[in-house]
């Protein structure tokens, strides 16, 4: 690696490939990535949504094999592919598709700006089951700028967070209004991450993740929407509200477009269903959301009128059972019965 | 001179020197006063507008660069730059922080700048204000926007330089904001010129690992008066590079004896010739 010779900034731990490349770009005498691209967004959000929902893929700038600037970068700065692969390994967890990626932690961005003069994006913000900042223990924000539209996403996210009218105030209010719920959701997130780590050793990592994502998908179904704060539905998938595309599309796809706040609540309700959060703990949060379920039976009773959803959940969860997470943990007679029936 | 340097390497060094990348700064009493005044600004708590004024070649840009480099974490340096769209002064400050990004224009100081101010970036430098305002046709409203930056809630200290008489007049007409004028003299006293030359050669020898003696400047002219710093540095650069590339013809023993005593400065015509020869060798 010839980075010393060219004084290439070293990547920070957990920094995304695109964030590091933008930092390299900013220190280069002649920028490698032109800002011309910013002025030509790749289609409107609605169009992207439809493409995304049809299953079309988008090149992910945070993935080595898909970033089209990697080749010139390696050539110009004399960087070896081995070094890059070592510093920017593939995502280790299920991630948000690039067209919907826009989560960030304002505190992390500000700290990195003060430290290195440019905000730095983190890999953990790309993960579906990590809607809260690991470092600060606070909910991530959903930027009004989409990652796919900006090569300098972290810069745009920070500046728009500070400059967009009322955006910062709203986000700060959301954080303070749901403090109890968020702290319990953060505990659940940490618990889940420990579980994933343990499952990695036995090769069950993906199944454990899928089990949790399936639970989160369930908790995002319309039957639970009354328990979500209204703001969780703002800018769902960008500028669009929750679409209501039918049972299967709602179940499988909406989690990708959802806001961080929606994923936090989905994680929180999943943790109640799994018994990670006791009913006593959950009850304390009713002052933040009166309609939120706080007991396991309350969580599952919401699906009593939706047998088709329950059937999908049972089928899915059955596939992803492991010693770490299984149907028995959920304490739902209806779900257990259905999984045996199928 | 170090013998093991290849011609290619010597040309690279000469190119860097001619492009002014040597970073040489000379401090004499008048110049130290300017730096002390700027240091006091960096320590001060109150925001104000500060103008550096001096003749062309007085070294104002070098002073501002050195200041920005010294207080890296506190300073936002705005330099003339070509933009695809017309940007106002406030917009240019945001662009100076993230030079490769694009943002919308702001009519008031945006919250992002105020947040960065809280992060320690409290001084904004506009080098060559006349060029910056010219590029964006901002002459009329430049000081309005600069006043906004100095006032609530930004409280930035704004340091600028210009030789444009109209901007200077506008600056002197400012009433509602605290202002300071720092005159910059570029004249080095005759007693210091030899020290400038020695320091320049020492700096370049150290930076590029060469061994060129300042005595090569002797015998090329006769300085008896105070000289502008930019002229001395220009001569030093030219002669250093010429000596590095072996482009100065060796004086004969008789010529050397005829010179009698050592001289410091070079005739302007002779300097131009040397510079031209060096530039032809390096850049063509």
């Amino acid at each position: 690696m010839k980075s010393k010779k060219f004084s290439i900034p070293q990547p920070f731990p957990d920094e995304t490939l695109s964030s590091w490349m933008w930092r390299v770009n900013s220190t280069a005498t002649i920028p490698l990535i032109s800002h011309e691209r910013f002025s030509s967004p790749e289609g409107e959000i609605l169009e992207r949504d439809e493409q995304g929902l049809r299953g079309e893929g988008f090149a992910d700038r945070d993935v080595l094999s898909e970033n089209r600037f990697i080749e010139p970068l390696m050539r110009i700065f004399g960087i070896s592919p081995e070094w890059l692969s070592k510093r920017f390994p593939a995502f280790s967890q299920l991630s948000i598709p690039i067209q919907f990626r826009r989560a960030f932690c304002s505190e992390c961005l500000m700290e990195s700006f003060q430290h290195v003069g440019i905000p730095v994006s983190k890999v953990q913000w790309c993960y579906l089951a990590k809607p809260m900042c690991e470092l600060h223990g606070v909910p991530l924000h959903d930027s009004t700028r989409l990652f796919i539209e900006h090569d300098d996403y972290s810069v745009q996210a920070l500046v728009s967070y500070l400059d967009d009218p009322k955006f910062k105030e709203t986000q700060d209010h959301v954080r303070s209004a749901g403090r109890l719920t968020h702290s319990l959701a953060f505990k659940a997130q940490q618990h889940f991450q420990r579980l994933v780590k343990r499952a990695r050793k036995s090769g069950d990592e993906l199944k454990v993740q899928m089990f949790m994502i399936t639970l989160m998908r369930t908790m995002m179904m319309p039957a639970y929407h009354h328990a979500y704060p209204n703001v969780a539905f703002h800018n769902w998938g960008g500028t669009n509200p929750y679409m209501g595309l039918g049972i299967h599309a709602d179940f499988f796809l909406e989690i990708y477009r959802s806001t961080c706040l929606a994923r936090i609540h989905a994680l929180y309700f999943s943790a109640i269903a799994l018994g990670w959060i006791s009913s006593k703990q959950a009850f304390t949060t009713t002052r933040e959301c009166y309609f939120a379920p706080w007991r396991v039976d309350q969580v599952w009773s919401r699906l009593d009128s939706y047998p088709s959803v329950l059937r999908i959940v049972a089928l899915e969860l059955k596939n992803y059972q492991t010693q770490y997470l299984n149907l028995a943990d959920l304490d739902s007679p209806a779900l257990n019965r259905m999984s045996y029936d199928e | 001179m170090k013998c093991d340097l290849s011609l290619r390497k010597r040309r690279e060094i000469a190119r860097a020197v001619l492009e002014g990348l040597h970073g040489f700064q000379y401090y004499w009493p008048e110049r130290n006063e300017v730096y002390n005044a700027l240091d006091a600004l960096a320590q001060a708590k109150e925001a104000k507008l500060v103008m550096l004024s001096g003749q062309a070649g007085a070294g104002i840009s070098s002073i501002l660069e050195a200041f920005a480099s010294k207080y890296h974490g506190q300073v936002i340096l705005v330099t003339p730059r070509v933009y695809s769209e017309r940007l106002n002064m406030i917009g240019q400050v945001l662009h100076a922080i993230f030079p490769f990004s694009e943002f919308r224009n702001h009519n008031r100081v945006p919250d992002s700048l105020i947040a960065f101010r809280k992060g320690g970036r409290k001084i904004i430098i506009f080098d060559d204000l006349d060029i910056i305002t010219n590029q964006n046709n901002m002459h009329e409203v430049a000081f309005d926007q600069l006043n906004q930056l100095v006032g609530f809630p930004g409280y930035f200290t704004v340091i600028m330089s210009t030789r444009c008489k109209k901007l200077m007049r506008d600056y002197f007409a400012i009433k509602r904001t605290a202002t300071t004028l720092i005159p910059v003299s570029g004249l080095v006293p005759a007693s210091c010129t030899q020290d400038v030359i020695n320091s320049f050669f020492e700096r370049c020898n150290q930076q590029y690992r060469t061994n060129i003696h300042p005595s090569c400047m002797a015998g090329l002219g006769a300085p008896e008066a105070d000289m502008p710093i930019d002229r001395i540095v220009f001569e030093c650069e030219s002669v250093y590079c010429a000596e590095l590339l072996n482009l100065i013809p060796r004086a004969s023993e008789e010529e050397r004896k005829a010179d009698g005593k050592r001289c410091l400065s070079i005739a302007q015509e002779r300097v131009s010739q040397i510079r031209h020869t060096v530039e032809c060798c390096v850049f063509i």
Side-chain angles (χ1 to χ4, degrees):
Chain A
M1 157 72 188
K2 298 178 183 176
S3 63
K4 277 185 183 170
K5 187 180 172 186
F6 296 102
S7 304
I8 294 177
Q10 293 293 307
F12 291 105
D14 201 39
E15 184 175 7
T16 59
L17 175 65
S18 61
S19 168
W20 174 74
M21 283 180 74
W22 187 254
R23 286 203 297 126
V24 172
N25 196 54
S26 300
T27 51
T29 318
I30 300 170
L32 180 77
I33 308 168
S34 162
H35 62 72
E36 287 297 315
R37 255 186 64 180
F38 308 148
S39 55
S40 59
E42 298 165 21
E44 293 299 314
I45 176 67
L46 187 65
E47 194 183 330
R48 264 199 314 277
D49 270 12
E50 285 173 359
Q51 285 175 314
L53 292 174
R54 282 201 302 269
E56 287 182 28
F58 294 86
D60 191 337
R61 292 199 309 276
D62 285 334
V63 175
L64 271 176
S65 55
E66 295 179 26
N67 191 316
R68 67 188 176 95
F69 289 107
I70 279 294
E71 278 297 319
L73 184 95
M74 289 198 301
R75 200 172 54 245
I76 293 168
F77 295 104
I79 300 169
S80 68
E82 294 77 25
W83 184 86
L84 275 173
S85 314
K86 194 176 162 193
R87 300 307 291 265
F88 300 102
F91 288 141
S92 61
Q93 292 192 28
L94 297 168
S95 60
I96 303 164
I98 181 172
Q99 67 268 30
F100 302 124
R101 209 173 293 158
R102 64 210 163 103
F104 72 97
C105 170
S106 55
E107 287 169 41
C108 286
L109 287 183
M110 202 58 182
E111 280 170 15
S112 54
F113 168 74
Q114 283 166 4
H115 185 51
V116 289
I118 192 163
V120 169
S121 274
K122 290 185 171 180
V123 172
Q124 57 173 290
W125 303 341
C126 305
Y127 294 150
L128 280 168
K130 277 194 181 177
M132 299 193 69
C133 174
E134 275 185 341
L135 186 63
H136 298 101
V138 290
L140 299 179
H141 304 302
D142 290 292
S143 176
T144 52
R145 311 297 156 102
L146 285 156
F147 171 76
I148 197 168
E149 286 178 352
H150 299 280
D151 280 325
D152 60 342
Y153 169 74
S154 52
V155 173
Q156 296 292 343
L158 178 60
V159 171
S160 60
Y161 164 74
L162 294 166
D163 286 348
D164 283 358
K166 301 282 179 198
F167 182 70
K168 181 176 179 296
E169 290 78 2
T170 310
Q171 297 291 323
D172 290 348
H173 178 69
V174 166
R175 277 185 177 178
S176 63
R179 194 165 286 151
L180 280 172
T181 311
H182 300 157
S183 64
L184 290 174
F186 185 58
K187 269 181 69 181
Q189 178 178 306
Q190 286 177 314
H191 185 89
F192 173 64
Q193 292 305 323
R194 282 195 294 272
L195 216 57
V196 171
K197 209 170 171 184
R198 275 168 53 203
R200 193 170 295 152
K201 290 170 190 163
S202 58
D204 288 330
E205 189 187 0
L206 184 63
K207 277 190 171 179
V208 168
Q209 286 181 56
M210 282 307 297
F211 194 95
M212 181 50 102
I213 295 296
T214 304
L215 269 182
M216 286 171 69
R217 280 173 164 151
T218 312
M219 302 303 154
M220 276 191 187
M221 292 304 280
Y224 294 93
H225 283 186
H226 66 283
Y228 281 65
N230 197 30
V231 70
F233 296 94
H234 291 177
N235 297 317
W236 187 285
T239 51
N240 282 346
Y242 186 85
M243 287 172 89
L245 299 165
I247 288 177
H248 284 84
D250 284 351
F251 185 83
F252 288 106
L253 298 178
E254 286 296 357
I255 192 169
Y256 298 125
R257 308 187 330 121
S258 63
T259 55
C260 292
L261 208 55
R263 285 189 285 126
I264 286 169
H265 280 79
L267 185 68
Y268 170 71
F269 297 141
S270 305
I272 294 174
L274 283 162
W276 295 351
I277 295 172
S278 67
S279 55
K280 196 178 169 188
Q281 286 174 318
F283 184 71
T284 58
T285 68
T286 47
R287 75 177 82 153
E288 290 174 353
C289 183
Y290 182 75
F291 300 104
W294 49 273
R295 282 200 320 260
V296 180
D297 61 308
Q298 282 180 350
V299 171
W300 293 116
S301 66
R302 310 287 171 188
L303 290 181
D304 286 348
S305 327
Y306 301 94
S308 50
V309 175
L310 214 52
R311 193 169 300 116
I312 298 173
V313 177
L315 268 174
E316 285 288 307
L317 290 180
K318 203 174 162 185
N319 289 333
Y320 304 126
Q321 290 193 97
T322 58
Q323 54 172 313
Y324 306 101
L325 284 176
N326 51 57
L327 279 163
D329 295 334
L330 292 173
D331 196 16
S332 164
L335 210 57
N336 272 319
R337 191 172 55 248
M338 217 164 265
S339 67
Y340 283 115
D341 289 349
E342 292 297 331
Chain B
M1 192 185 73
K2 217 172 173 180
C3 300
D4 55 354
L5 289 175
S6 65
L7 179 61
R8 188 183 61 81
K9 183 70 186 165
R10 281 183 283 145
R11 283 180 66 182
E12 270 177 20
I13 293 171
R15 193 178 300 133
V17 171
L18 293 182
E19 285 173 352
L21 300 178
H22 46 71
F24 171 69
Q25 290 277 326
Y26 184 72
Y27 301 91
W28 68 99
E30 286 87 350
R31 183 52 50 96
N32 281 334
E33 281 174 20
V34 176
Y35 279 111
N36 290 340
L38 289 173
D39 284 342
L41 283 174
Q43 311 302 333
K45 285 186 179 163
E46 62 172 20
K48 56 164 68 173
L49 278 169
V50 182
M51 176 71 82
L52 264 67
S53 158
Q55 294 296 313
I60 292 175
S61 293
S62 304
I63 291 171
L64 292 178
E65 270 174 31
F67 177 73
S69 166
K70 184 176 177 184
Y71 295 98
H72 178 69
Q74 294 185 36
V75 169
I76 303 167
L77 178 62
V78 184
T79 47
R81 190 183 138 192
V82 178
Y83 293 97
S84 56
E85 286 175 23
R86 186 184 286 183
L87 265 184
N88 61 18
M89 306 296 287
I90 294 170
Q92 291 201 35
V93 177
L94 200 51
H95 276 251
I97 300 173
F98 303 117
F100 297 112
S101 295
E102 287 205 342
F103 310 100
R104 65 187 172 88
N105 243 331
H106 294 278
N107 293 324
R108 59 174 187 85
V109 181
D111 291 344
S112 53
L113 270 187
I114 296 163
F116 301 149
R117 162 77 174 83
K118 284 177 191 157
R121 301 279 192 105
K122 60 173 189 173
I123 300 169
I124 302 171
I125 296 177
F126 289 92
D127 189 16
D128 280 328
L129 189 65
D130 41 323
I131 303 176
I132 293 171
T133 51
N134 248 338
Q135 280 177 335
N136 297 280
N137 204 14
M138 296 286 300
H139 270 111
E140 300 303 321
V141 292
F143 283 108
D144 278 348
Q145 300 217 334
L146 294 180
N147 275 323
Q148 275 195 49
L149 288 166
V150 176
F152 175 82
Y155 296 123
F156 286 99
T157 287
V158 174
I159 302 175
M160 66 206 125
S161 71
T162 186
R163 283 185 295 280
C164 171
K165 285 181 182 167
K166 186 181 178 312
L167 283 175
M168 288 297 277
R169 270 202 307 275
D170 290 348
Y171 174 77
F172 288 125
I174 293 171
K175 293 250 175 0
R176 60 190 166 109
T177 309
T179 59
T180 303
L181 180 73
I182 302 178
V184 180
S185 162
L187 278 182
V188 178
S191 57
C192 294
T193 44
Q194 183 58 53
D195 192 39
V196 181
I197 294 167
N198 290 341
S199 307
F200 179 87
F201 277 75
E202 195 182 329
R203 162 94 187 182
C204 287
N205 284 332
Q206 204 174 3
Q207 185 160 333
Y208 302 114
R209 296 181 184 179
T210 56
N211 185 22
I212 296 179
H213 200 268
S215 62
C216 63
M217 293 282 286
L220 295 169
E224 258 110 39
D226 299 350
M227 282 174 63
I229 183 70
D230 65 323
R231 192 180 153 199
I232 306 178
V233 172
F234 183 82
E235 288 179 8
C236 288
E237 285 172 356
S238 308
V239 175
Y240 173 87
C241 294
E243 188 67 16
L244 184 69
L245 298 165
N246 295 324
L247 295 174
I248 296 183
R250 299 277 145 214
S252 65
E253 197 61 32
E254 289 75 29
E255 281 172 332
R256 254 182 256 160
K257 279 177 188 168
D259 278 341
K261 58 177 183 177
R262 286 178 65 201
C263 306
L264 285 173
S265 185
I266 314 168
Q268 192 63 40
E269 213 175 288
R270 181 88 172 99
V271 179
S272 301
Q273 277 177 7
I274 292 174
R275 186 79 172 199
H276 181 71
T277 316
V278 171
E279 284 178 347
C280 286
C281 175
V282 169
F283 293 115
I284 297 175

